[in-house]
Amino acid sequence: MSVILNKGQLSEVLPLLERVVPSRSANPLYTHLGLSLSPKGLVLFGSNGEVDLEVRLEAEVQDEGRFLVPAQPFFQLVRSLPGEVVELSLGRELELASGAFRTRLALAPEEGYPELLFPEPGSPSEAYPLLAPLGAEDLLKAFTHVRYAASNEEYRAIFRGVQLEFSEARLRAVASDGYRLALYDLERPQPFAKKAVVPARSVDEIVRVLKGLDPGDVELALGPATLGLVVPFAGGVLRMAVKLMEGEFPDYERVIPKEFPLRATLEVEPFREALKRVSVLADRQNHRVDLLFQEGKVLLSAEGDYGKGQEELPVALEGSPLAVAYNARYLLEALSPLSGQAVLYLSGAASPSLVRPLEGEGYQAVVVPLRV
Amino acid sequence: MSVILNKGQLSEVLPLLERVVPSRSANPLYTHLGLSLSPKGLVLFGSNGEVDLEVRLEAEVQDEGRFLVPAQPFFQLVRSLPGEVVELSLGRELELASGAFRTRLALAPEEGYPELLFPEPGSPSEAYPLLAPLGAEDLLKAFTHVRYAASNEEYRAIFRGVQLEFSEARLRAVASDGYRLALYDLERPQPFAKKAVVPARSVDEIVRVLKGLDPGDVELALGPATLGLVVPFAGGVLRMAVKLMEGEFPDYERVIPKEFPLRATLEVEPFREALKRVSVLADRQNHRVDLLFQEGKVLLSAEGDYGKGQEELPVALEGSPLAVAYNARYLLEALSPLSGQAVLYLSGAASPSLVRPLEGEGYQAVVVPLRV
């Protein structure tokens, strides 16, 4: 049986599969790309055991069949094919023809390849009883605003994920490493109440898929231990299934201060640049930068082995003058999703500060000052 | 004493110094950047023990003095300064001011920093008795055409360098790893006859300097164990000194065949692309691709664990049909400096082949076929 495809169709989605399918694995079947042909079209699928991904492409196919091809040469070849059209013929081998180029790739037997379970768009299933439709742009924002705050440490493994909180009032994404915290609220009522922690690396794959395909609306699907995602795009439908982490975040709301003796409104870009410059002089361990807020200005200063540096910037202050010190990296990361104007809410030199955009709610970052 | 500079002046040359000055070194003085002030201008200098580099910038300076500043923070700071103008004040510390930013960097004592010896433009010296003026573009071409063929292996260390051969007839650059060879002849009479082997990594630094500054004419200077280079550019003069390797290449001329039963003229770009595609299927160890030349065509084919692939391309043939096999990587690298049309000179299935551009002499690459 055979299928004819435009190279463009394949090259849009193969990079997404290439990121998931491992080039080496304890189970060599995982290093294969699945091709499933049916009158409905061509389905490409792959998995690394954590993230499953499949893409259905529209194509004219006569027969039905399921095949596993060695993924690495397939990806490499399709990237560099001479013709605009690719013909795939599947039987005992995969024959791939394009322009003057012909190849035959050995197929792997299907036995032992895990069953991949994806959500059905619009219909709850046993594997995915809960469905939540969502704008792709919204989901992307929620993930990219908080991703940086997830932990890289083995210690307290739950913090290596991003927690999604579905509730009647909203969808919230939150990440923390125990020292700082970022959350993004999407003020849209959700059809169910549930918390689910997605491993940060799987969040990265979801972000890449959403950026790579530029879809309109997507569907999140929640199963007992799996987050599913349906992503329609111009040339077909992509579906993902990612393993969830066990457990949930400890109660973090209580560390977010509610009262702030000082509020500083600042331009993000020049503040970020000044912070970067001054932090070059900071000690290598704490990256400590001191901030002195008074009289419509903030004086940033740092001192380390190389010497000292300082810079002054105008800020709009409401409240009493304050001296406070931060790990410059944490403060820079808290500002990283922002542009335009931001507000720094200071609750004191020894208690958490809050970073928010001046306009547009949704994002909040908690940064704990360094002890002075 | 102080000097005022445009940020642009510094940012053009600092990346070149940044590549040379190490961020860590057994001798911590090497992690410093030298600043030398005199009425003639500002000189910045640095070294990693293999490559010495200095840049003289035009600037108004009153006093004289020589200072060592910690290089890493200096590079980082200058990259991100807020103002267009930088003021450097040197005394017991370096004070750097730009816009609202101020910093003081600790200086290192000068004792123990090695003396850097550079050639004087136009005048031979004890350290550099031999001078050869040259177009920067020519030197760049000579180095970049052959650099890929230098060895990365410890074995036969001399092949980890590029040999420059100055002679009455020409300047030649040649590199080899014992299995293949690349040479580039610059047909310009040289003022002396001498061979010098430049470490490949120092060649890379010279190439970066020439590409980074886009100068017109340069001067090569040869000392007993050092290659010097003077590079005038719009904002000043850059000088380099690189340690030469001891010894010279064994006689390689005798491995270059003189007679060829087959000559194949081909379009480099499509041939290279086909070679890359077909080599995806090649065995991982030898990267073997078979080439069958006959009847105005070449059939490329490869076979390995994944399967087999083949592609046919038109070529203009002069001579008798031939089957020959290469390590695809070696053949691709031999073609890498070329575009347009190239000629493959074949001396047989078991003896070296030659790659040359169809037009414009200068470049020759020797590739030894794989045993069939």
Side-chain angles (χ1 to χ4, degrees), chain A residues 241-262:
Chain A
V242 312
K243 282 218 178 75
L244 293 174
M245 296 173 76
E246 275 181 48
E248 59 181 61
F249 283 13
D251 177 24
Y252 56 84
E253 295 263 13
R254 58 186 176 77
V255 308
I256 306 180
K258 304 282 175 285
E259 297 193 4
F260 306 97
L262 180 62

PDB file of all heavy atoms in Angstrom, chain A residues 241-262:
ATOM      1  N   ALA A 241      -0.364  12.762  24.723  1.00  0.00           N
ATOM      2  CA  ALA A 241      -0.711  12.232  26.038  1.00  0.00           C
ATOM      3  C   ALA A 241       0.559  12.292  26.881  1.00  0.00           C
ATOM      4  O   ALA A 241       1.590  11.760  26.472  1.00  0.00           O
ATOM      5  CB  ALA A 241      -1.203  10.795  25.912  1.00  0.00           C
ATOM      6  N   VAL A 242       0.505  12.996  28.005  1.00  0.00           N
ATOM      7  CA  VAL A 242       1.696  13.069  28.861  1.00  0.00           C
ATOM      8  C   VAL A 242       1.366  12.508  30.240  1.00  0.00           C
ATOM      9  O   VAL A 242       0.292  12.749  30.785  1.00  0.00           O
ATOM     10  CB  VAL A 242       2.268  14.513  28.974  1.00  0.00           C
ATOM     11  CG1 VAL A 242       2.388  15.160  27.608  1.00  0.00           C
ATOM     12  CG2 VAL A 242       1.430  15.382  29.869  1.00  0.00           C
ATOM     13  N   LYS A 243       2.313  11.773  30.783  1.00  0.00           N
ATOM     14  CA  LYS A 243       2.158  11.210  32.126  1.00  0.00           C
ATOM     15  C   LYS A 243       2.147  12.328  33.157  1.00  0.00           C
ATOM     16  O   LYS A 243       2.985  13.226  33.109  1.00  0.00           O
ATOM     17  CB  LYS A 243       3.339  10.272  32.436  1.00  0.00           C
ATOM     18  CG  LYS A 243       3.257   8.922  31.804  1.00  0.00           C
ATOM     19  CD  LYS A 243       3.803   7.843  32.779  1.00  0.00           C
ATOM     20  CE  LYS A 243       3.672   6.467  32.168  1.00  0.00           C
ATOM     21  NZ  LYS A 243       4.684   6.226  31.125  1.00  0.00           N
ATOM     22  N   LEU A 244       1.209  12.263  34.106  1.00  0.00           N
ATOM     23  CA  LEU A 244       1.178  13.255  35.184  1.00  0.00           C
ATOM     24  C   LEU A 244       2.063  12.798  36.332  1.00  0.00           C
ATOM     25  O   LEU A 244       2.361  11.611  36.477  1.00  0.00           O
ATOM     26  CB  LEU A 244      -0.255  13.430  35.685  1.00  0.00           C
ATOM     27  CG  LEU A 244      -1.211  14.069  34.681  1.00  0.00           C
ATOM     28  CD1 LEU A 244      -2.630  14.063  35.237  1.00  0.00           C
ATOM     29  CD2 LEU A 244      -0.779  15.493  34.351  1.00  0.00           C
ATOM     30  N   MET A 245       2.489  13.768  37.160  1.00  0.00           N
ATOM     31  CA  MET A 245       3.239  13.420  38.363  1.00  0.00           C
ATOM     32  C   MET A 245       2.260  13.061  39.468  1.00  0.00           C
ATOM     33  O   MET A 245       1.119  13.525  39.473  1.00  0.00           O
ATOM     34  CB  MET A 245       4.122  14.598  38.771  1.00  0.00           C
ATOM     35  CG  MET A 245       5.182  14.901  37.714  1.00  0.00           C
ATOM     36  SD  MET A 245       6.128  16.403  38.062  1.00  0.00           S
ATOM     37  CE  MET A 245       7.197  15.811  39.355  1.00  0.00           C
ATOM     38  N   GLU A 246       2.707  12.250  40.400  1.00  0.00           N
ATOM     39  CA  GLU A 246       1.831  11.888  41.524  1.00  0.00           C
ATOM     40  C   GLU A 246       1.903  12.956  42.603  1.00  0.00           C
ATOM     41  O   GLU A 246       2.969  13.475  42.896  1.00  0.00           O
ATOM     42  CB  GLU A 246       2.272  10.547  42.113  1.00  0.00           C
ATOM     43  CG  GLU A 246       1.666   9.370  41.378  1.00  0.00           C
ATOM     44  CD  GLU A 246       2.094   8.048  41.988  1.00  0.00           C
ATOM     45  OE1 GLU A 246       2.022   7.917  43.222  1.00  0.00           O
ATOM     46  OE2 GLU A 246       2.528   7.171  41.219  1.00  0.00           O
ATOM     47  N   GLY A 247       0.748  13.267  43.191  1.00  0.00           N
ATOM     48  CA  GLY A 247       0.714  14.228  44.291  1.00  0.00           C
ATOM     49  C   GLY A 247       0.357  15.621  43.812  1.00  0.00           C
ATOM     50  O   GLY A 247       0.032  15.825  42.632  1.00  0.00           O
ATOM     51  N   GLU A 248       0.361  16.567  44.744  1.00  0.00           N
ATOM     52  CA  GLU A 248       0.130  17.958  44.350  1.00  0.00           C
ATOM     53  C   GLU A 248       0.963  18.888  45.227  1.00  0.00           C
ATOM     54  O   GLU A 248       1.598  18.454  46.187  1.00  0.00           O
ATOM     55  CB  GLU A 248      -1.354  18.312  44.413  1.00  0.00           C
ATOM     56  CG  GLU A 248      -1.989  18.137  45.774  1.00  0.00           C
ATOM     57  CD  GLU A 248      -3.492  18.479  45.744  1.00  0.00           C
ATOM     58  OE1 GLU A 248      -4.254  17.818  45.006  1.00  0.00           O
ATOM     59  OE2 GLU A 248      -3.864  19.425  46.461  1.00  0.00           O
ATOM     60  N   PHE A 249       0.998  20.185  44.839  1.00  0.00           N
ATOM     61  CA  PHE A 249       1.814  21.163  45.554  1.00  0.00           C
ATOM     62  C   PHE A 249       1.288  21.343  46.982  1.00  0.00           C
ATOM     63  O   PHE A 249       0.073  21.287  47.204  1.00  0.00           O
ATOM     64  CB  PHE A 249       1.752  22.524  44.848  1.00  0.00           C
ATOM     65  CG  PHE A 249       2.585  22.615  43.605  1.00  0.00           C
ATOM     66  CD1 PHE A 249       3.121  21.479  43.002  1.00  0.00           C
ATOM     67  CD2 PHE A 249       2.843  23.853  43.030  1.00  0.00           C
ATOM     68  CE1 PHE A 249       3.889  21.582  41.853  1.00  0.00           C
ATOM     69  CE2 PHE A 249       3.612  23.956  41.875  1.00  0.00           C
ATOM     70  CZ  PHE A 249       4.119  22.826  41.290  1.00  0.00           C
ATOM     71  N   PRO A 250       2.172  21.596  47.944  1.00  0.00           N
ATOM     72  CA  PRO A 250       1.698  22.011  49.265  1.00  0.00           C
ATOM     73  C   PRO A 250       1.003  23.372  49.144  1.00  0.00           C
ATOM     74  O   PRO A 250       1.179  24.069  48.141  1.00  0.00           O
ATOM     75  CB  PRO A 250       2.991  22.121  50.072  1.00  0.00           C
ATOM     76  CG  PRO A 250       4.085  22.252  49.076  1.00  0.00           C
ATOM     77  CD  PRO A 250       3.628  21.564  47.835  1.00  0.00           C
ATOM     78  N   ASP A 251       0.224  23.730  50.145  1.00  0.00           N
ATOM     79  CA  ASP A 251      -0.518  24.994  50.111  1.00  0.00           C
ATOM     80  C   ASP A 251       0.458  26.175  50.007  1.00  0.00           C
ATOM     81  O   ASP A 251       1.209  26.465  50.930  1.00  0.00           O
ATOM     82  CB  ASP A 251      -1.360  25.132  51.382  1.00  0.00           C
ATOM     83  CG  ASP A 251      -2.083  26.471  51.407  1.00  0.00           C
ATOM     84  OD1 ASP A 251      -2.304  27.045  50.318  1.00  0.00           O
ATOM     85  OD2 ASP A 251      -2.405  26.945  52.513  1.00  0.00           O
ATOM     86  N   TYR A 252       0.437  26.838  48.873  1.00  0.00           N
ATOM     87  CA  TYR A 252       1.384  27.932  48.653  1.00  0.00           C
ATOM     88  C   TYR A 252       0.741  29.302  48.875  1.00  0.00           C
ATOM     89  O   TYR A 252       1.434  30.302  49.014  1.00  0.00           O
ATOM     90  CB  TYR A 252       1.954  27.858  47.230  1.00  0.00           C
ATOM     91  CG  TYR A 252       0.884  27.862  46.167  1.00  0.00           C
ATOM     92  CD1 TYR A 252       0.335  29.047  45.709  1.00  0.00           C
ATOM     93  CD2 TYR A 252       0.397  26.664  45.642  1.00  0.00           C
ATOM     94  CE1 TYR A 252      -0.669  29.045  44.760  1.00  0.00           C
ATOM     95  CE2 TYR A 252      -0.609  26.652  44.693  1.00  0.00           C
ATOM     96  CZ  TYR A 252      -1.144  27.844  44.253  1.00  0.00           C
ATOM     97  OH  TYR A 252      -2.143  27.850  43.325  1.00  0.00           O
ATOM     98  N   GLU A 253      -0.589  29.323  48.892  1.00  0.00           N
ATOM     99  CA  GLU A 253      -1.290  30.616  48.976  1.00  0.00           C
ATOM    100  C   GLU A 253      -0.865  31.393  50.223  1.00  0.00           C
ATOM    101  O   GLU A 253      -0.762  32.622  50.194  1.00  0.00           O
ATOM    102  CB  GLU A 253      -2.810  30.388  49.027  1.00  0.00           C
ATOM    103  CG  GLU A 253      -3.395  29.783  47.774  1.00  0.00           C
ATOM    104  CD  GLU A 253      -3.996  30.842  46.844  1.00  0.00           C
ATOM    105  OE1 GLU A 253      -3.734  32.047  47.062  1.00  0.00           O
ATOM    106  OE2 GLU A 253      -4.713  30.454  45.905  1.00  0.00           O
ATOM    107  N   ARG A 254      -0.575  30.640  51.299  1.00  0.00           N
ATOM    108  CA  ARG A 254      -0.290  31.343  52.550  1.00  0.00           C
ATOM    109  C   ARG A 254       1.053  32.088  52.527  1.00  0.00           C
ATOM    110  O   ARG A 254       1.286  32.967  53.330  1.00  0.00           O
ATOM    111  CB  ARG A 254      -0.342  30.367  53.730  1.00  0.00           C
ATOM    112  CG  ARG A 254       0.597  29.225  53.610  1.00  0.00           C
ATOM    113  CD  ARG A 254       0.466  28.177  54.688  1.00  0.00           C
ATOM    114  NE  ARG A 254       1.383  27.080  54.371  1.00  0.00           N
ATOM    115  CZ  ARG A 254       2.679  27.135  54.564  1.00  0.00           C
ATOM    116  NH1 ARG A 254       3.243  28.192  55.110  1.00  0.00           N
ATOM    117  NH2 ARG A 254       3.452  26.117  54.209  1.00  0.00           N
ATOM    118  N   VAL A 255       1.957  31.740  51.580  1.00  0.00           N
ATOM    119  CA  VAL A 255       3.224  32.492  51.525  1.00  0.00           C
ATOM    120  C   VAL A 255       3.087  33.774  50.704  1.00  0.00           C
ATOM    121  O   VAL A 255       3.988  34.603  50.679  1.00  0.00           O
ATOM    122  CB  VAL A 255       4.405  31.659  50.947  1.00  0.00           C
ATOM    123  CG1 VAL A 255       4.540  30.339  51.681  1.00  0.00           C
ATOM    124  CG2 VAL A 255       4.269  31.454  49.449  1.00  0.00           C
ATOM    125  N   ILE A 256       1.971  33.938  50.013  1.00  0.00           N
ATOM    126  CA  ILE A 256       1.804  35.158  49.204  1.00  0.00           C
ATOM    127  C   ILE A 256       1.299  36.262  50.122  1.00  0.00           C
ATOM    128  O   ILE A 256       0.190  36.181  50.644  1.00  0.00           O
ATOM    129  CB  ILE A 256       0.818  34.925  48.041  1.00  0.00           C
ATOM    130  CG1 ILE A 256       1.255  33.708  47.218  1.00  0.00           C
ATOM    131  CG2 ILE A 256       0.703  36.167  47.174  1.00  0.00           C
ATOM    132  CD1 ILE A 256       0.351  33.387  46.038  1.00  0.00           C
ATOM    133  N   PRO A 257       2.108  37.305  50.327  1.00  0.00           N
ATOM    134  CA  PRO A 257       1.680  38.363  51.250  1.00  0.00           C
ATOM    135  C   PRO A 257       0.490  39.124  50.684  1.00  0.00           C
ATOM    136  O   PRO A 257       0.264  39.154  49.463  1.00  0.00           O
ATOM    137  CB  PRO A 257       2.916  39.266  51.351  1.00  0.00           C
ATOM    138  CG  PRO A 257       3.792  38.901  50.227  1.00  0.00           C
ATOM    139  CD  PRO A 257       3.410  37.567  49.722  1.00  0.00           C
ATOM    140  N   LYS A 258      -0.287  39.710  51.588  1.00  0.00           N
ATOM    141  CA  LYS A 258      -1.490  40.440  51.143  1.00  0.00           C
ATOM    142  C   LYS A 258      -1.330  41.953  51.329  1.00  0.00           C
ATOM    143  O   LYS A 258      -2.041  42.725  50.722  1.00  0.00           O
ATOM    144  CB  LYS A 258      -2.720  39.960  51.932  1.00  0.00           C
ATOM    145  CG  LYS A 258      -2.982  38.444  51.871  1.00  0.00           C
ATOM    146  CD  LYS A 258      -3.627  38.022  50.559  1.00  0.00           C
ATOM    147  CE  LYS A 258      -3.761  36.506  50.453  1.00  0.00           C
ATOM    148  NZ  LYS A 258      -2.470  35.808  50.159  1.00  0.00           N
ATOM    149  N   GLU A 259      -0.422  42.359  52.201  1.00  0.00           N
ATOM    150  CA  GLU A 259      -0.263  43.801  52.458  1.00  0.00           C
ATOM    151  C   GLU A 259       1.153  44.258  52.118  1.00  0.00           C
ATOM    152  O   GLU A 259       2.115  43.561  52.380  1.00  0.00           O
ATOM    153  CB  GLU A 259      -0.574  44.104  53.919  1.00  0.00           C
ATOM    154  CG  GLU A 259      -2.014  43.783  54.222  1.00  0.00           C
ATOM    155  CD  GLU A 259      -2.464  44.357  55.544  1.00  0.00           C
ATOM    156  OE1 GLU A 259      -1.666  45.075  56.193  1.00  0.00           O
ATOM    157  OE2 GLU A 259      -3.617  44.079  55.920  1.00  0.00           O
ATOM    158  N   PHE A 260       1.193  45.452  51.528  1.00  0.00           N
ATOM    159  CA  PHE A 260       2.474  45.932  51.005  1.00  0.00           C
ATOM    160  C   PHE A 260       2.703  47.386  51.391  1.00  0.00           C
ATOM    161  O   PHE A 260       2.041  48.273  50.859  1.00  0.00           O
ATOM    162  CB  PHE A 260       2.493  45.793  49.482  1.00  0.00           C
ATOM    163  CG  PHE A 260       2.181  44.407  49.016  1.00  0.00           C
ATOM    164  CD1 PHE A 260       0.890  44.060  48.609  1.00  0.00           C
ATOM    165  CD2 PHE A 260       3.166  43.430  49.014  1.00  0.00           C
ATOM    166  CE1 PHE A 260       0.613  42.777  48.185  1.00  0.00           C
ATOM    167  CE2 PHE A 260       2.874  42.143  48.596  1.00  0.00           C
ATOM    168  CZ  PHE A 260       1.588  41.803  48.182  1.00  0.00           C
ATOM    169  N   PRO A 261       3.654  47.645  52.287  1.00  0.00           N
ATOM    170  CA  PRO A 261       3.945  49.036  52.648  1.00  0.00           C
ATOM    171  C   PRO A 261       4.537  49.844  51.485  1.00  0.00           C
ATOM    172  O   PRO A 261       4.511  51.070  51.526  1.00  0.00           O
ATOM    173  CB  PRO A 261       4.967  48.910  53.789  1.00  0.00           C
ATOM    174  CG  PRO A 261       5.351  47.476  53.888  1.00  0.00           C
ATOM    175  CD  PRO A 261       4.383  46.672  53.104  1.00  0.00           C
ATOM    176  N   LEU A 262       5.049  49.165  50.448  1.00  0.00           N
ATOM    177  CA  LEU A 262       5.627  49.922  49.321  1.00  0.00           C
ATOM    178  C   LEU A 262       5.270  49.267  47.990  1.00  0.00           C
ATOM    179  O   LEU A 262       5.313  48.049  47.842  1.00  0.00           O
ATOM    180  CB  LEU A 262       7.162  50.001  49.463  1.00  0.00           C
ATOM    181  CG  LEU A 262       7.885  50.770  48.347  1.00  0.00           C
ATOM    182  CD1 LEU A 262       7.449  52.226  48.301  1.00  0.00           C
ATOM    183  CD2 LEU A 262       9.408  50.679  48.516  1.00  0.00           C
TER     184      LEU A 262
END
